[in-house]
Structures are given as structure tokens and as C-alpha cells.
Amino acid sequence: MNNEQVLTQVIGVDLGGSAIKLGRFDALGNCHQSLTVPTPQPATPEAVFSVLLEGLSQITENVKSVGGIGIGLPGPVDASGRISQIAINLKNWQNVPLANWVEAKTNLSVVMANDANCAGLGEAWLGAGRRFKDLILLTLGTGVGGAIILNGELFVGRNGTAGELGLITLNFDGPICNSGNRGSLEQYASIQAIRRETGLEPAELAAKAKSGDTNAIEYWQQYGQRLGAGLASLIYILTPEAIILGGGISAGAEFFLPSTIAEIERRVLASSRQDLQVLIAELGNQAGAIGAAKLALDTFVLKQ
């Protein structure tokens, strides 16, 4: 990495349904400025674009060298990283050429990716996955997102949509998933699953377990077993060095992680899980913006 690359800064954007997070980073991972602005409601493409431009204007003001912009979005992006195909929780988002729009107004190169992929890149760069070359990330939240990092590179498949780890089948005849699948891992490991099965929020269920409530403790153990069963399939396919668990549910890991690890050990041959580590994500809700910055860095700066 030469001095020019180190001095060049990139912008990472995490575009969510309630907030847009922006950060300006150098090639060593130092954050020079961050900004969070509310996502306009309704979050139409035009309204979001206007607010995003204002945020970008603030965070790039008086900066000499910006090498590019990375944007993470809650939904699939085409293989070229140019078009937001669908964005969950954003209104009327279908095949939105957001990269082209931003480039035309800022004269900066733009690349986009799914927000879970960005979170995986962030954790691999500056978070819990920084010691590993091969890892997977699962975001345990309203849904279950995923990211695959192989040999230090984000893997998205031939058309940009690989890595939907939460949509693998856990029970062939289970609850219907928004994806059209039945019994996907997401239907057993998401916040929606916990609400459906207990009537509680994850934080409430964790508080009950902490107070010694046996039903809550047993539920978390069952949750861990289901998660471990889903992870077993992914381990056999990808044999990662590490599995990183992020998202809101990961805050209750003390109640489910032991049974998750036990289930992995029960289901997966030792040869396929050799030296495997199951870790909790470290970057919290900043992982997406950090990973989007890394995406821009890899695309526009370090590969020059």
C-alpha cells in the first residue's frame, strides 16, 4: 500500500429504513468523520436520493482526495454493483440505478452491495473477523442476513445474489418465508420467529432468562440448537475459519451460544470444523457503513 492510497479517503454509506449512516475512512480503517441522518418517510427513491446527497455533501466538504463511495442497501443489488433491485422497508424501490444517480451529482465513483454483505466486509476488515481469511457472517435481526468472505474477498456469486444464508431450508414443511421458501433458517432464528413463538421481544426474553425463568432459558437453548443445525449445513459447504454472529439477537448470545456450539459439534465432523471459531460481531450498527467503505476502497483504490 503506497502513501497515496493511505491518504485517499472513501465514503461508506449504510442506507436503512430508519436511518442513513455515513462515514469517511482512510485505507488504514481510521474514521475521519461520521454522520447519521433520518431516512425520509415515505422512503421513495427520489426522497432518499435527495437526503443522501445532502449527507454526502457534508461529509466530503473540504476533503482533498475521495477515492469513491460504497453504499449498502437492505436488499439485492445487481452483479455490477450499480442497481438496487429491491430495497426492503424503502417505498417503490425496484431496479433503482442509484449508483448512476450519485455519480452524476458528485463526480465520484460509486459501488453498491447488500447491507449484510457490507456488514460482513466491515467485520472482516476491522471487527471480529479481522484475523481470518475465510468466514461467514449472520445478522440475526428482523430477518437473517448473511455474508460470505472467501480468501479475504466477498463472495456474491455470478449474478450478485449469493450469500442469502438465512434462506437455507431448516424444516422442509415449516412456516412460509417471504422468499417463497418454507421452514428457512430465518423462520427459526429471526426476531420475527421469537415474537411468533413467545410473544416477547428478544430483550424481554433475555431479561427473563437472566432472572432465572426456566421457560425462557429452555427457549434460548432450543433457539441455539436450531441455529447450530442451520450453521452445520453452512460449515459443511464452506468450512470457514470463523462464524460471526451479529444483529440485535446476538446481544443475548450468552443464553444461546453454548447450545449453538454444542449442536455444531454434534452434527459436524471434526475434520470439517477444525479450528472453527464462533464469535460475536464487534462493530454493532456501524458495521454496514464500515463495510461499504471497504467495498469502495477495494473497488476504486487498492486495485488501481
Side-chain angles (χ1 to χ4, degrees), residues 275-288:
D275 299 323
L276 173 68
Q277 296 192 42
V278 183
L279 305 168
I280 303 305
E282 296 178 358
L283 301 179
N285 62 11
Q286 298 303 310

Side-chain angles (χ1 to χ4, degrees), residues 286-303:
Q286 298 303 310
I290 293 170
K294 185 64 164 71
L295 182 66
L297 192 68
D298 288 345
T299 305
F300 303 123
V301 179
L302 299 183
K303 289 186 177 178

Side-chain angles (χ1 to χ4, degrees), residues 14-268:
D14 182 9
L15 205 168
S18 59
I20 301 173
K21 304 179 186 71
L22 304 94
R24 178 161 45 82
F25 297 83
D26 63 29
L28 300 178
N30 300 306
C31 181
H32 294 266
Q33 187 181 354
S34 62
L35 176 69
T36 300
V37 296
T39 304
Q41 304 299 330
T44 62
E46 294 78 12
V48 169
F49 177 53
S50 178
V51 171
L52 175 58
L53 283 182
E54 176 59 30
L56 289 169
S57 175
Q58 291 182 48
I59 207 165
T60 57
E61 190 174 9
N62 298 322
V63 181
K64 291 182 179 180
S65 179
V66 176
I69 301 170
I71 302 175
L73 300 114
V77 174
D78 75 318
S80 68
R82 311 291 302 168
I83 298 172
S84 174
Q85 296 173 323
I86 300 171
I88 300 162
N89 297 326
L90 302 181
K91 186 176 176 62
N92 298 332
W93 279 68
Q94 290 186 327
N95 296 319
V96 178
L98 186 62
N100 292 344
W101 293 359
V102 174
E103 284 184 351
K105 290 293 186 180
T106 64
N107 292 317
L108 294 171
S109 298
V110 177
V111 63
M112 307 193 302
N114 171 273
D115 55 2
N117 284 337
C118 288
L121 276 173
E123 289 292 339
W125 186 28
L126 301 178
R130 59 189 176 274
R131 294 180 289 116
F132 309 102
K133 288 289 187 183
D134 298 311
L135 62 97
I136 61 177
L137 169 99
L138 259 69
T139 55
L140 307 173
T142 304
V144 175
I148 302 170
I149 309 291
L150 297 178
N151 196 29
E153 300 279 343
L154 178 67
F155 175 76
V156 296
R158 61 183 173 82
N159 60 4
T161 58
E164 291 287 357
L165 305 183
L167 301 184
I168 66 168
T169 301
L170 193 60
N171 175 4
F172 81 98
D173 198 30
I176 295 174
C177 179
N178 289 336
S179 66
N181 193 9
R182 295 186 71 101
S184 63
L185 177 59
E186 181 170 282
Q187 293 303 306
Y188 297 97
S190 65
I191 291 174
Q192 295 181 70
I194 292 174
R195 288 172 181 161
R196 183 184 72 237
E197 295 180 339
T198 70
L200 299 171
E201 296 296 317
E204 296 173 312
L205 197 64
K208 282 181 173 289
K210 203 173 190 69
S211 69
D213 185 299
T214 54
N215 288 332
I217 291 170
E218 288 175 3
Y219 180 85
W220 280 119
Q221 290 174 340
Q222 182 188 60
Y223 176 93
Q225 290 173 330
R226 291 169 168 178
L227 179 59
L231 291 173
S233 296
L234 299 175
I235 294 165
Y236 273 126
I237 295 166
L238 296 167
T239 59
E241 298 171 272
I243 296 170
I244 313 296
L245 301 177
I249 297 175
S250 66
E254 63 183 292
F255 304 112
F256 68 79
L257 195 56
S259 59
T260 297
I261 293 171
E263 195 68 16
I264 289 170
E265 291 175 346
R266 188 173 75 84
R267 289 176 178 268
V268 180

